[in-house]
Amino acid sequence: MSDVPPARPLRVCDCEFEEEFLAGLRRHQYGVHDGVVGHHTQLPRRQPREAATNDHNSDGDDGPGGGHRGAGTAASARRRGGSRGGAAADGYVADSESDSPSGRATPPCTSHSETTSDSAVQSQLRTLLELTRILVPESDGGSGAANAVPEYLYSSVGLHVRALYEALGDAQRAEHLVHRRKRAKPGQFNTVRLRALQRVVLQVGGAGLSERD
Amino acid sequence: MAEDACHHKTLRYHFPSVKGFRNALREDLDDAALNAGWNKVQLVEGGVAYEAFRDVLQVIRGLLKRKGDNMQLSSGVSGPAPPRDKRETPMDGDAFKLCDVLVMKNREELACVLGLHVFSDSSQLSWSGGTLWLFSLQFPFVLLSSMLRGHLHPGHTFLTRLLFRVPGTLLSGVIGCLYSAHKLYPVRVRLVNDFSRTVEWVTVAYIPVVQKLPEPAADERARIRRCGILQRVLYTAFTNVIGRSHIGFHVRVKDHKALAFPRILLYICDQPDERAVPNLRGGQCAHPCTSCMAKIDVIGAPQALNGADRSVINTLTNQVELYEHTRRQGQRRRRLALGALDSTSGGVPGLAAMAGLGTAPHMLYNMIGFDALHVCSTSAS
């Protein structure tokens, strides 16, 4: 136990390839290993455009490409709000939960273009998060139970803060405050007197009347 | 009251049953909540708490859509205004101009800052789902006499029976008290680019009030839980705004298309939140000032004016390291040293991920505005 911070880890790939700069290490990993390798760093591949379109249109149908079946299923599961299962399955907790747009409960007034742009932004930020972080080797980071949680170094402290909170996955677990009832007919208070009555019932005493009252 | 075609129809005509009336009310409430984009999430921080929030980015877009004609995109006519003493609007402040200069610098397309003011006050409680309980000053005597008369039956309805069988009870100083199911306080947001006459604060989240539990070191643990819940609520509500604060989003105001970058310029709160939002230690600590590193020995003395400003990067890096060690339950001595260095508590401020607070111009510790009027009114009452 010491009072000095852990030293910066070397930029070493799993295949013992050493590189002075992070960009070079990432170039090597994407060129040789087809992606970032290491503990909790493997991201699910983005769907090709046509597969994504088919998946979107058929709502769960994985499209003609059998090779994209896994990705399509995972993506559609995430779109239905099941991002927790997918995240746990591939062992990638932090970043797959940050791939939020699908799991996130969007308000009904949100337009399609805004949702799409938001998801693109979040995907971009997720990729940025992946490319700019370095896994701290266990020998440097700590020992014992501490190794259960992988530690990363980030390019900026703001990104680190973002990763910490994305790992909690609060925004992805969010759901609508209420669920609309079947055959709901809102707007039945459609006269002046009824609206006045509704206002009294909902605002009396500040919090309104409870159902029992 | 204005009259319409159904003015003289009875309530029974519109709603044949009590259930129908309740359902109509509930459907209207559900519709309003869904249209406003309210979400909820269950937070577990030493106990279960529910938080209600809505996406601040959607709120900003809604405000821009509704009040687009009254929006001003920059502090000057066609760019950042020069520094001056005029302070007629929040856009005249130094914080807005600093962000304005940084955002517009070296950018080909038209860019602008959407300044946000955030307000939270833990003394303004909201509640819901409560039950009205009535107590009488003569309650013990009436209870005794009622028992002697045989009016009281075992079970939960004894108070109701008592109140209805002995109407005189109600005449003798009845005290009403609302025991609520949820106690929450709101977080409100205001867009400072809005130049319309009405200042509109929009509620974006409700923070649950975390109570103390019967446990050792209850005060400290409750404070940690409260801080944790507050940070998670703020981060959840501002998630998309934090993302967009780095890369911006396109807005169209008065036929001008611009790339807008939201920035939090001011966080107005009361004293406990003043320390909780940047996750600094409250109460007795070596550096009790939020914005500078003046030591407690010189606080209130002229030497405090010479205190160095808090370095956002250094303090935040220490906070993150402290949090990582706490999460792994290791490096206890270093955790203590890090906490004492900047008088920080164990958490990480969620808003630090936002551009402008954790990045240049580093306003994380300068954005906190102490709600002086609230303190004055509290002390006066």
Side-chain angles (χ1 to χ4, degrees), chain B residues 54-70:
Chain B
R54 54 178 168 165
D55 185 8
V56 180
L57 190 64
Q58 299 298 334
V59 171
I60 294 174
R61 280 178 166 147
L63 284 173
L64 286 170
K65 196 175 282 184
R66 276 194 293 119
K67 298 189 165 187
D69 295 338
N70 295 316

Side-chain angles (χ1 to χ4, degrees), chain A residues 2-3 108 118 121-122 149-151 160 162 165-166 170 173 175 177 180 187 192-193 198 211, chain B residues 4 7 26-28 31 34 38-42 231-232 235 240 244 247 324 328 331 334 348:
Chain A
S2 70
D3 287 350
D118 283 347
V121 166
Q122 290 182 3
V149 186
E151 186 178 357
H160 198 157
R162 192 175 163 83
Y165 278 95
E166 290 292 339
D170 290 334
R173 284 187 290 110
E175 55 186 16
L177 185 65
R180 205 184 292 273
V192 177
R193 289 182 78 184
Q198 186 188 30
E211 285 196 6
Chain B
D4 50 18
H7 188 74
R26 192 181 296 166
E27 283 158 10
D28 271 8
D31 193 51
L34 287 170
W38 281 99
N39 295 323
K40 69 174 177 184
V41 65
Q42 183 182 337
Q231 297 301 335
R232 289 173 70 173
Y235 187 84
N240 286 333
R244 291 293 185 173
I247 56 173
E324 290 281 5
R328 289 175 178 77
Q331 306 271 352
R334 182 155 178 82
V348 179

Side-chain angles (χ1 to χ4, degrees), chain A residues 75-150:
Chain A
S76 57
R78 281 198 301 275
R79 181 158 36 252
R80 291 185 212 107
S83 63
R84 285 145 291 186
D90 59 14
Y92 189 80
V93 181
D95 287 356
S96 58
E97 281 182 344
S98 69
D99 184 23
S100 61
S102 36
R104 179 163 174 70
T106 50
C109 57
T110 308
S111 70
H112 178 71
S113 61
E114 284 171 2
T115 312
T116 309
S117 64
D118 283 347
S119 68
V121 166
Q122 290 182 3
S123 172
Q124 193 179 352
L125 287 172
R126 188 171 134 261
T127 310
L128 184 71
L129 201 68
E130 176 212 0
L131 291 176
T132 54
R133 67 182 188 174
I134 306 168
L135 182 67
V136 178
E138 292 179 2
S139 55
D140 287 344
S143 61
N147 292 334
V149 186

Side-chain angles (χ1 to χ4, degrees), chain A residues 21-213:
Chain A
F21 298 105
L22 179 62
L25 179 66
R26 291 289 182 250
R27 199 179 306 119
H28 160 79
Q29 286 174 328
Y30 272 91
V32 178
H33 305 292
D34 196 25
V36 181
V37 292
H39 183 48
H40 287 245
T41 54
Q42 202 66 42
L43 283 173
R45 284 280 178 192
R46 289 185 66 179
Q47 294 180 76
R49 189 180 179 83
E50 55 274 8
T53 312
N54 289 340
D55 192 26
H56 177 73
N57 291 337
S58 58
D59 191 25
D61 187 5
D62 293 329
H68 301 308
R69 189 169 184 83
T73 309
S76 57
R78 281 198 301 275
R79 181 158 36 252
R80 291 185 212 107
S83 63
R84 285 145 291 186
D90 59 14
Y92 189 80
V93 181
D95 287 356
S96 58
E97 281 182 344
S98 69
D99 184 23
S100 61
S102 36
R104 179 163 174 70
T106 50
C109 57
T110 308
S111 70
H112 178 71
S113 61
E114 284 171 2
T115 312
T116 309
S117 64
D118 283 347
S119 68
V121 166
Q122 290 182 3
S123 172
Q124 193 179 352
L125 287 172
R126 188 171 134 261
T127 310
L128 184 71
L129 201 68
E130 176 212 0
L131 291 176
T132 54
R133 67 182 188 174
I134 306 168
L135 182 67
V136 178
E138 292 179 2
S139 55
D140 287 344
S143 61
N147 292 334
V149 186
E151 186 178 357
Y152 297 97
L153 285 180
Y154 292 85
S155 59
S156 72
V157 68
L159 207 58
H160 198 157
V161 172
R162 192 175 163 83
L164 289 177
Y165 278 95
E166 290 292 339
L168 296 173
D170 290 334
Q172 286 74 48
R173 284 187 290 110
E175 55 186 16
H176 291 306
L177 185 65
V178 288
H179 295 286
R180 205 184 292 273
R181 293 155 57 92
K182 280 185 182 174
R183 294 186 290 278
K185 287 186 290 183
Q188 292 184 61
F189 291 86
N190 50 7
T191 68
V192 177
R193 289 182 78 184
L194 285 177
R195 276 196 291 274
L197 174 67
Q198 186 188 30
R199 209 160 35 242
V200 169
V201 169
L202 295 178
Q203 293 181 355
V204 64
L209 294 177
S210 66
E211 285 196 6
R212 193 179 297 176
D213 295 330

